[in-house]
Amino acid sequence: MDCREQIESENYAELIVGAQGLGLDPTDEFCLINVNEQFSILSLAHDRIASEEGLLYAYGYLPKVFGLMAEDFTSTSLGSAGILQVQGPPLSLNGSGVVMAFIDTGIRFAQEEFLNAAGNTRILALWDQNLTTGEPPEGYRYGTLFTRADINQALRAENPYEALPSYDEIGHGTEIASTAAGSVINGGRSFRGAAPEAEIVVVKLRQAKKHLRDFYLLREDEPAYAENDIMLGVKFAESFAVTFRRPVVICLGIGTNLGNHTTGSSLARYLNDLANIRNRGIVICGGNEGNAGHHFNAPVPTERTGQGDPYTDVEIRVGEGERGFMLELWGNGPDVLAVSLRTPGGESIPRFRLGTGQSQTFTFVYERGRVTIDSVLVEPSSGDELIAFRFADPTPGVWTVRVYAAESGGSGRFHMWLPISQFLSSQTYFLNASPYITLTDPGIAENPITVSAYNDSNNSFYVNSGRGFLENGLIKPDLAAPGVEVPTALGRRTGTSLAAALTAGGVAQFFQWAVVQQNFPLVQNQAVKGYFIRGAARSSELVYPNREWGYGRLDVTGVFDTLAGV
């Protein structure tokens, strides 16, 4: 079986490994795709890796799953963000000469928002990871690549989507691409994107494979995307900076609650490295988890009680019809944690602590379902302790996790996260949740620009937007941008992915001035972020940096005012 057949087969699984792979025997049937100097994607027969019980895949190698960060809900958004003003004279910045990339659900390429005045496409390339009939991009080994010429040919057909069978069924990718880079239609009276003259690169992500969906207990109809596919999509998109000698702005409107929310996933670390390369801009949404009740944190318990060692009870309400979910508990060294579990009916798993890398599954007499608990004393990428719970078909009601300090330095806190709202019933949440440290991964990456959302009609913070700061003190989010009832090619939408799209458009405007017009040709993402922070709009009533607003509201006009010394 060749690499393409392996990667497209449900019988093969992908792992995120080091650049040199895992040192497998040459006789093994596997495929390796390099991402950069740090990461590669390994495809290997699924039955060679693990069962679906427990974290036997090895946590550091298993791709996380990501969901979408928009909600179904004459705009002032472009004006509020200072984008519309910069589009006009004297700067006249519309993203010309800049490539904007969207790694998402695809694009409805025949829409007027993605055509130029001559009726031709503004899309340079479309890589559909789902289609198996055409040729993939060179070196990527799966999916089908469509060029600008392919898309223009399809546009001349009676039914463009029959001639070129890549369509954004969900619409999320089309929405954020149009907000960030949609064409000016009817002089701007019908529609106008933030960077309407930028060229566009699109990666339509394939849905996560069945073994990942089963492991993370996701519903069959829920859109979910594997980390390895996103990483390769980012690699494909950023390569256009080399090919065309143009700056590339990558906009990501996806997120996950998996991970320790500090060092980040392999994707977050890859984006961190990429943001250090000149002429690359990375803009990431902060997620919509601020009001979801999916984060709990408390000090590691130190005071002894009448029942013995100190503990903290964490109560989780589980809704009716919940298929299951992953729950992660993270603790910092030198603390060492132990746990016990009580079901809604009162059955208990006594306090226990697994050895490193061990897994145990528990069933109950009066309760349906089962719980698998895994322990990693030192998770390799972070150095933190991880205790992961996999609740399969859990009984509705209140489950209680009791957290003990088996060994305590007396200085730390522990955190617990449930999956993102998209992957859970709205009736499953922590009873005593915290709205802070609710930014989703990869928005926790240090170097990219992370954006929260606000309602520009009244300058109020969007209640569902993710919030900072990070446990290690890193200031995130960086900025807040309009994200409520933002116009898109498919109607008005709400969510931090729309705020990220507007910000990405503003970054494209800046790249046009800095790189294309040769005012600052070697600019890096960190410098762009610094200018945007200095130009941000701030309220005299708030202290900055701020857990909700970061360093202030996106104001692209303010960026150029700062540069001009106004």
Side-chain angles (χ1 to χ4, degrees):
M1 183 178 290
D2 64 23
C3 277
R4 177 167 189 165
E5 291 175 315
Q6 285 187 29
I7 294 171
E8 292 175 347
S9 171
E10 288 286 350
N11 296 323
Y12 283 75
E14 283 71 58
L15 301 178
I16 301 171
V17 300
Q20 304 303 316
L22 289 177
L24 295 171
D25 189 298
T27 60
D28 282 326
E29 192 174 11
F30 68 91
C31 181
L32 196 68
I33 302 177
N34 179 259
V35 177
N36 67 351
E37 295 80 6
Q38 188 177 3
F39 298 109
S40 289
I41 308 302
L42 172 69
S43 176
L44 192 65
H46 180 239
D47 57 12
R48 284 288 317 277
I49 298 173
S51 72
E52 287 161 358
E53 291 293 344
L55 290 177
L56 303 180
Y57 289 84
Y59 186 87
Y61 300 141
L62 183 69
K64 295 174 175 58
V65 289
F66 293 74
L68 306 174
M69 290 297 154
E71 300 175 359
D72 292 324
F73 281 86
T74 305
S75 172
T76 61
S77 299
L78 293 179
S80 300
I83 290 171
L84 190 62
Q85 299 87 321
V86 174
Q87 286 185 358
L91 290 171
S92 300
L93 298 176
N94 293 287
S96 178
V98 180
V99 176
M100 299 199 70
F102 306 94
I103 295 91
D104 210 277
T105 63
I107 194 166
R108 298 182 188 179
F109 62 85
Q111 299 232 174
E112 193 176 359
E113 289 83 358
F114 307 116
L115 307 180
N116 61 23
N120 293 318
T121 187
R122 292 172 45 226
I123 301 171
L124 285 175
L126 165 57
W127 177 24
D128 191 324
Q129 295 181 345
N130 301 271
L131 295 178
T132 62
T133 54
E135 288 299 316
E138 186 176 355
Y140 290 83
R141 302 181 181 178
Y142 67 108
T144 298
L145 173 65
F146 300 104
T147 65
R148 188 205 302 265
D150 295 328
I151 298 171
N152 279 330
Q153 183 177 350
L155 290 172
R156 292 190 287 270
E158 183 176 349
N159 188 330
Y161 296 113
E162 285 185 3
L164 195 158
S166 180
Y167 183 76
D168 179 9
E169 298 85 359
I170 295 170
H172 187 268
T174 299
E175 291 161 1
I176 65 170
S178 61
T179 297
S183 298
V184 176
I185 300 174
N186 192 22
R189 292 182 292 276
S190 298
F191 193 81
R192 179 192 297 267
E197 294 181 9
E199 294 186 288
I200 299 169
V201 170
V202 176
V203 177
K204 180 179 179 180
L205 295 167
R206 62 176 178 173
Q207 292 289 327
K209 287 187 175 181
K210 185 178 184 301
H211 74 90
L212 276 181
R213 304 180 74 87
D214 288 344
F215 178 78
Y216 289 114
L217 296 161
L218 304 182
R219 298 187 299 275
E220 288 185 8
D221 60 344
E222 193 60 59
Y225 307 95
E227 187 176 6
N228 51 286
D229 292 321
I230 302 168
M231 292 174 73
L232 290 175
V234 170
K235 179 184 179 182
F236 172 78
E238 71 90 16
S239 70
F240 282 79
V242 176
T243 303
F244 291 95
R245 300 294 189 269
R246 301 175 193 175
V248 170
V249 181
I250 294 173
C251 178
L252 289 175
I254 54 178
T256 184
N257 269 348
L258 295 167
N260 70 343
H261 291 238
T262 304
T263 55
S265 61
S266 297
L267 172 62
R269 286 177 280 145
Y270 174 43
L271 293 169
N272 236 9
D273 292 342
L274 199 59
N276 287 326
I277 304 175
R278 68 189 185 201
N279 297 354
R280 272 77 161 175
I282 313 290
V283 182
I284 308 172
C285 71
N288 305 329
E289 289 293 298
N291 198 40
H294 294 165
H295 172 231
F296 177 92
N297 80 99
V300 171
T302 56
E303 295 184 9
R304 298 183 68 84
T305 69
Q307 299 182 37
D309 289 341
Y311 62 83
T312 296
D313 280 343
V314 184
E315 295 180 313
I316 307 155
R317 187 193 187 281
V318 175
E320 292 280 352
E322 192 71 75
R323 178 190 178 189
F325 55 88
M326 296 288 295
L327 166 68
E328 293 185 348
L329 185 160
W330 291 86
N332 306 121
D335 303 309
V336 177
L337 305 177
V339 296
S340 64
L341 183 68
R342 187 172 68 244
T343 72
E347 293 185 65
S348 294
I349 298 171
R351 169 181 171 172
F352 71 96
R353 182 173 169 270
L354 297 169
T356 297
Q358 291 185 334
S359 174
Q360 189 168 347
T361 297
F362 299 91
T363 56
F364 309 98
V365 176
Y366 295 106
E367 312 279 351
R368 69 167 188 257
R370 63 191 185 280
V371 178
T372 301
I373 304 177
D374 299 82
S375 174
V376 181
L377 180 60
V378 178
E379 195 276 317
S381 66
S382 64
D384 293 339
E385 181 177 10
L386 166 65
I387 301 176
F389 303 76
R390 185 176 183 273
F391 289 78
D393 193 25
T395 301
V398 177
W399 293 71
T400 303
V401 178
R402 180 165 289 181
V403 181
Y404 300 86
E407 299 176 24
S408 176
S411 59
R413 301 180 71 82
F414 70 91
H415 296 262
M416 300 174 76
W417 282 279
L418 289 162
I420 60 172
S421 300
Q422 183 182 332
F423 297 157
L424 272 183
S425 156
S426 62
Q427 298 303 309
T428 299
Y429 50 83
F430 291 112
L431 291 184
N432 190 20
S434 168
Y436 298 109
I437 318 183
T438 51
L439 296 167
T440 51
D441 191 304
I444 60 173
E446 179 176 4
N447 295 331
I449 299 171
T450 303
V451 187
S452 60
Y454 76 98
N455 185 342
D456 62 308
S457 68
N458 58 15
N459 281 350
S460 63
F461 188 74
Y462 173 48
V463 66
N464 291 338
S465 180
R467 307 167 200 184
F469 300 127
L470 303 191
E471 175 70 4
N472 60 1
L474 182 65
I475 304 302
K476 286 284 174 175
D478 299 295
L479 298 166
V484 177
E485 295 285 330
V486 176
T488 79
L490 304 181
R492 295 178 182 271
R493 295 292 183 268
T494 295
T496 57
S497 60
L498 284 309
L502 285 171
T503 305
V507 172
Q509 290 179 306
F510 185 87
F511 268 136
Q512 181 186 352
W513 174 85
V515 180
V516 178
Q517 297 179 2
Q518 294 291 294
N519 289 298
F520 191 0
L522 301 182
V523 67
Q524 292 177 308
N525 188 86
Q526 285 291 78
V528 177
K529 181 164 68 172
Y531 283 120
F532 273 56
I533 286 172
R534 283 164 176 80
R538 284 177 274 273
S539 168
S540 60
E541 299 175 356
L542 297 174
V543 176
Y544 298 92
N546 185 283
R547 286 185 166 194
E548 288 87 5
W549 301 84
Y551 287 95
R553 303 188 306 276
L554 173 68
D555 185 355
V556 181
T557 302
V559 173
F560 288 98
D561 285 347
T562 300
L563 284 162
V566 177

